[in-house]
Amino acid sequence: MMGIVLVLVMIFSISVPAFANGAIGENNVKITKDKATTIGKEIVKNYFATEIYDEKFQTRIELEKNWRNEDGKVWIIKWRKRKENGGVQFNVEIDANSGYLLSCTKDYYDERMKVPSMSAKEAEKKAEEFLKEIQPEKFENVKLKEDKNKSMSKYDIPNYRFEYIREINGVEFPSDCINIGIDGRDGQLIEYGINWHGNMDVPTIENIIDKKEARRLLEDKIIMEKLYIGIRNEETGKNNAIKLVYRPDYNGKQELNAKTKDFKEYKIDRKLESKDISFNRKEEIYKKSLNMERGKINKGKAEEITRDLLKELNEKDIEIGSIEYMENVDRYRQRGKNYWQVEFRDKDMKTYETEGEVTINADTGEVIEFYTYNDRRESKGSKPSLNWSEAYDKAIDALEKFYPDKIRNIDTKETYYERLDDEKEMNYHFNFSRKENGIEFNINSIDISINSNDGTIESLNMRWTDNLKFPNPMGKIGEEKAKELWLENLECKLIYSKDMDDKNNKLNLVYVLENKINKYGVSIDANRGTLLDYYGEKIKIDKKPNVDEEHPHGQELKVLEVKDIIHMDKIHLDKEITLIDAVKMLTKAKGYRSYRVHRYEDLKFTNISKEDQDYGILKGAIYFKILDNEAVEFNKEKKVNNMEMAKLMVKALGYEKLAKAQEIYILPFKDANEICEKDKGYAALCKGLGLIEGEEFNPQKNITYLDMAMIIYKSLEDFEE
């Protein structure tokens, strides 16, 4: 990797001219676009062993603000090369004044799934070797974050990511870190990124309060609040039930100064203004819903609603484009609904481009979503002509016009927060969450965006599920007990912290409470007192890893679990697999997504209704041609034998036509006479593809979950995503 070091030498030996302060632009930075391009090409060559030729790559280079430093500027360069079934893109980020490399990545675009050939430990060793080579001095002052941060991602299967946190005086400074990505197939670098402050004023670790006192002061500021959450079925993507939970509110008091005992004040959290409407105003709005007509609408009515909506929004010169009916949609905002999707455009547009969309519930006539694609109303000048309070009033007017029936169950209190940068407020955004029994259910909400220049509505989004049954708001666990349970999983930790809006480099030495459970959206069940994850599933504390690293197939099983093909905590590897589970595994391996189910044909199976929890994934199995859609019974619990496994695999791989030419195959198995003539092709193909081993096929022998898992793993790179 000596070439990488030479790139850094080249970057820092650049002679740069002086420049005058002014607006963002190439004339106001020391590194020109051409110089940045030259640096970037050298980085790609030395980091990723790729020569960039302009005639072979699409190039995009932009000068942007540096999110790490509000006064800084960066050159962001992207080189992309397309090829059949995929392509590759290199991204390089360079400081526009120093020429310092901030980040570089290599991204693949490939329709076929890739799997790693090395373990996480092997990839970690590669990452460490690279870091020592490129940043030998900084390597001595960083610490690898816990294993939880290097896990493979469901959508980034072949790769491993590692984050190294800076330490000063033996204390972590989380704002400074180095990120390394390793390709699990060949051990090559795919990502390097650094955020590192220099010349800092660092307080010593002497004369600080003890951890026990710090923990008590931090704990005192925590309040547990009730919340309703939806329990989501990971396979169907739908919320099956509602749970009452507790989540903590730290009241902005999350960092305690270790020397002064003062709580750090976040200017980003400083409230500038809050506003709400009265109960009487809500009732006044609700009364307007009593005369509203709700019911199924046809195409003509959808167009009429759209025209009325656009007229209300001052879209005077708009014409209707396409109107499309979508049935039983399974998308995020319109899950399970039938709707009309209407595209519109500006009459004066020279090209036939879509200007925006309106989505209307086909069963009720409600506007589900409205938005525009471009910045037609981009504000001019240095200050908004509309203040936040006026924008709030316009958002309430929108609720009154379009959703008066929801107003009783909406939290209409909104708070305006100060921006840290000097950018003008282009739009004011309002998120009106649903409330039931006085408790927030934030999965449902109405979001409204108001343009700050002319007060027009830029977007409307309604996420709302009718006929939900909400649990008793009291719960069996009190707030005090919930807090006690929450605190059991918090660790008091000393760290260095820097104010986001502080232009000097002074650090603070602070205590924080860190959650030992590295999961998003953790809560406490208000009835059982158990810890729940984002999906409402119980979290098992101190459990063994789902995949034992010492297992002879540990690496393969880990890949399958990350890819959501198997759930190790729900199966026994040595148990005989059922037909439904084998089909589920294969369908997920083929790229099943619950939000696409509405596109697939309905099932003909005589014993599987649309209410069946497996209806969606079985539709996926039909779509991927793993199963035939026939008017027969589907036996979910039937055990799968080797012959049935072979048929499922050959169908999933798209080779069934070849399998039916049974006369061309010679079977190498000792028990070939036990395989009927019409099935020979399936067995032969599985042997030829290396999916099965051994001298005997044992067609009637039932297979285990482990058998099925290993066969699918061997085929992963042959499945198109």
Side-chain angles (χ1 to χ4, degrees), residues 556-573:
E556 295 94 327
L557 292 170
K558 179 65 176 177
V559 169
L560 294 174
E561 183 170 55
V562 171
K563 196 63 182 173
D564 198 31
I565 294 171
I566 58 173
H567 294 277
M568 292 295 296
D569 56 343
K570 296 179 181 179
I571 64 171
H572 295 285
L573 292 174

Side-chain angles (χ1 to χ4, degrees), residues 255-269:
E255 295 187 7
L256 178 72
N257 191 297
K259 291 180 180 287
T260 67
K261 300 184 186 180
D262 295 325
F263 283 94
K264 180 177 176 181
E265 293 293 335
Y266 293 89
K267 289 186 180 180
I268 192 172
D269 289 333

Side-chain angles (χ1 to χ4, degrees), residues 547-599:
V547 180
D548 185 353
E549 291 188 4
E550 301 303 319
H551 191 284
H553 299 292
Q555 173 70 5
E556 295 94 327
L557 292 170
K558 179 65 176 177
V559 169
L560 294 174
E561 183 170 55
V562 171
K563 196 63 182 173
D564 198 31
I565 294 171
I566 58 173
H567 294 277
M568 292 295 296
D569 56 343
K570 296 179 181 179
I571 64 171
H572 295 285
L573 292 174
D574 56 353
K575 187 178 178 182
E576 293 179 349
I577 194 169
T578 59
L579 179 59
I580 185 62
D581 284 346
V583 168
K584 281 183 180 181
M585 288 168 66
L586 264 177
T587 306
K588 290 179 179 180
K590 287 285 289 182
Y592 171 77
R593 303 286 186 270
S594 63
Y595 58 80
R596 297 176 182 163
V597 167
H598 70 281
R599 306 176 188 174

Side-chain angles (χ1 to χ4, degrees), residues 481-498:
K481 180 62 177 177
K483 183 174 179 178
E484 178 186 327
L485 293 169
W486 181 258
L487 294 177
E488 288 178 1
N489 298 290
L490 299 183
E491 175 186 2
C492 190
K493 195 171 184 179
L494 184 68
I495 66 169
Y496 281 110
S497 173
K498 186 178 185 298

